[in-house]
């Protein structure tokens, strides 16, 4: 069993309130969930209106599949014009960790 995780640190563009932040972050999370069948959520910086930390997780029996899906998730977030991707942290866990 392989568990892959991504943690995105994002800088949001023209956002001036937490309400505007939600209108940017929620569609990204929903698209990740819909397109790639991953678990995704805002996992940090909830009180900052120009920063967001998103987490993505995926479980599979094939390490190559996990790596491929995480690559596609990273490309999707990096391509969003309304956010700047500051950093990405990737981990691959096995059931022997």
């Amino acid at each position: 069993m392989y568990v892959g995780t991504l943690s995105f640190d994002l800088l949001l563009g023209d956002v001036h309130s937490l309400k505007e932040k939600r209108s940017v972050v929620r569609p990204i999370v929903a698209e990740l969930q819909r397109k790639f069948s991953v678990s995704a959520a805002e996992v940090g910086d909830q009180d900052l209106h120009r920063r967001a930390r998103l987490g993505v997780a995926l479980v599979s029996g094939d390490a190559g599949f996990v790596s491929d899906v995480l690559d596609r998730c990273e490309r999707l977030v990096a391509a969003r014009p309304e956010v700047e991707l500051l950093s990405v942290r990737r981990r691959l866990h096995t059931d022997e960790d």
Side-chain angles (χ1 to χ4, degrees), residues 25-60:
V25 171
R26 282 185 179 173
I28 295 171
V29 169
E31 187 173 8
L32 287 166
Q33 292 169 334
R34 187 183 76 253
K35 279 192 171 183
F36 305 116
S37 296
V38 296
S39 294
E42 183 178 2
V43 296
D45 297 331
Q46 284 96 340
D47 57 339
L48 302 175
H49 69 274
R50 293 216 50 229
R51 295 291 292 271
R53 192 168 301 272
L54 303 182
V56 173
L58 172 68
V59 177
S60 177

Side-chain angles (χ1 to χ4, degrees), residues 34 57 71 94:
R34 187 183 76 253
D71 286 343
T94 67

